[in-house]
Amino acid sequence: MKVLVAIKRVVDYNVKVRVKADNSGVDLANVKMSMNPFCEIAVEEAVRLKEKGVATEIVVVAIGPSTAQEQLRTALALGADRAILVESAEDLTSLAVAKLLKAVVDKEQPQLVILGKQAIDSDNNQTGQMLAALSGYGQGTFASKVEISGDTVAVTREVDGGAQTVSLKLPAIVTTDLRLNEPRYASLPNIMKAKKKPLEVLTPEALGVSTASTNTTVKVEAPAARSAGIKVKSVAELVEKLKNEAKVL
Amino acid sequence: MTILVIAEHDNKVVAPATLNTVAAAAKIGGDIHVLVAGQNVDAVAEAAAKIAGVAKVRVADNGAYAHQLPENVAPLVAELGAGYSHILAAATSNGKNILPRVAAALDVDQISEIISVESADTFKRPIYAGNAIATVQSNASVKVITVRATGFDPVAAEGGSAAVEAVAAAHDAGTSSFVGEELAKSDRPELTAAKIVVSGGRGMQNGDNFKHLYALADKLGAAVGASRAAVDAGFVPNDMQVGQTGKIVAPQLYIAVGISGAIQHLAGMKDSKVIVAINKDEEAPIFQVADYGLVADLFEAVPALQQAL
């Protein structure tokens, strides 16, 4: 079974981002970039499926600037077989990305597509669901467990009150939650080997996909700062402040 | 302008987040219709009709919608929603699961987790784990939006008298089926709706020690939350997680116990009115957002706090 994994290059999750002075966006110049943490989990799940003999080939795809090749190489070093970059310098919306992924799905015909549940930059949590809609496939979002048997996949999902399990006909779309697995690190020999694995570069035009958007970002601001708090010396002082100053008790 | 709000429910009661979503719809302006899709949802429809400001309740009662499977519900919402100016759902796990599928079916971009309405086509939403606020404008014919419940004060659950109308449309895509669910049981208030939240982190050391927080929470009538570290360590179930990838809360009082205050955790609670941090590390980042910080061993401070109340 062929598995397609979509990954995104994002600002590293440890970086505290700064809003640009002209409010046009977030300052990403000279900031450390990495693979989105949820995408790492998606790659790991695909590699585990291959190790179990369920998956035969893992194709990893990224949509973004040419520098996203770094993250594709990381995925190859983790165990993906080959990579596709759909190169676009623009900041694309989730719908545009889903349309591009749909074109890649049509081309590659995977049985399973794994994505992260959300990217930590835009925090949209849309692309997997949109890809599922466009392809007409079932969706197992926020997955904490994925089990394939025959032509179905059972996905245990993290929902507000606990966990829910659904069964989907393959091909299907799965988006990963944090507890699906613990991603591995790439070893140095595997990083070297990954440099020789195939990486195909495509463009939205070549895939015949329009990336036009109905949304415009008007401005980006820093959130309102909280006023500085105080340190109390004792539990008694804390209770007194909460009762008489903050009046929340 | 007519706005369609997707009711959040469990086939029995309307979830509180629906009231916040209706509040967001009221800020946009125009008639508000509520869609109740599920199975045997008469009681839900009746309750939805009483929500203040709702003009009409549309009810799709069908076995295919029983578990809110997006493969079946999204085509229904897309079909009904095409005639509306806006489609709104709460940014709950159901709303996040279904609505992007609706947006793609309508070929429009979605706006996720809005925290304010600037005008009928312009909204604010947090990005980068809440470290930036984006103002987004949509020129889509139907604006598809999820609403962060903590950004809007709920409308009254009583006082309305909307007409209830059945919807015939039934969609069963046949690509998915419900297998089962395991819901965590709790007598305490629901985390996202609680006025006071007491949360524990890695500093709790083990699951058994959460009993100190439960005792404190019961005294305060509070819900108990956790950081990702506490969930990953297996101290508590994951539906208690507060943060970028868990639940977003904005209570009157948030008490963070043994939580360092990573960016991802702050994203889930930094809009709380008053934040209290109890941590023995005085350099912990949580103290930078806390209104009241207490540098102390939590195993002494929490029981003492419970005594003092």
Side-chain angles (χ1 to χ4, degrees), chain A residues 230 232-244 249, chain B residues 253 255 275-278 291-294 301 305:
Chain A
I230 57 160
V232 293
K233 291 197 174 56
S234 67
V235 167
E237 190 188 348
L238 176 63
V239 173
E240 190 272 319
K241 294 270 188 208
L242 289 177
K243 280 190 174 151
N244 302 323
L249 287 182
Chain B
L253 173 61
I255 306 179
I275 298 173
V276 170
I278 300 175
D291 299 281
Y292 301 105
L294 177 62
L305 182 55

Side-chain angles (χ1 to χ4, degrees), chain A residues 123 139 141 165 218 226 245, chain B residues 71 97 135 180 244 270 292:
Chain A
D123 282 336
Q139 68 188 48
T141 51
T165 305
V218 181
R226 289 188 76 93
E245 195 175 277
Chain B
E71 296 80 3
N97 197 24
T135 304
Q244 185 183 20
K270 70 187 173 69
Y292 301 105

Side-chain angles (χ1 to χ4, degrees), chain A residues 198-236:
Chain A
L199 193 159
E200 184 184 0
V201 179
L202 298 169
T203 60
E205 295 75 36
L207 290 167
V209 173
S210 158
T211 57
S213 161
T214 55
N215 283 356
T216 324
T217 299
V218 181
K219 66 177 169 190
V220 175
E221 300 158 293
R226 289 188 76 93
S227 50
I230 57 160
K231 288 233 171 89
V232 293
K233 291 197 174 56
S234 67
V235 167

Side-chain angles (χ1 to χ4, degrees), chain A residues 13-49:
Chain A
Y13 72 98
N14 284 313
V15 172
K16 181 130 173 60
V17 296
R18 262 202 206 95
V19 171
K20 285 187 194 167
D22 65 357
N23 293 119
S24 62
V26 163
D27 193 357
L28 295 179
N30 304 315
V31 168
K32 188 186 176 204
M33 304 295 278
S34 302
M35 192 191 304
N36 181 43
F38 292 100
C39 303
E40 288 182 349
I41 295 168
V43 172
E44 176 67 29
E45 195 64 18
V47 173
R48 289 187 189 188
L49 287 173

Side-chain angles (χ1 to χ4, degrees), chain B residues 261-282:
Chain B
I263 297 174
Q264 292 79 9
H265 185 74
L266 300 184
M269 47 65 82
K270 70 187 173 69
D271 292 325
S272 306
K273 186 162 171 271
V274 174
I275 298 173
V276 170
I278 300 175
N279 205 304
K280 64 181 175 191
D281 174 13
E282 65 180 309

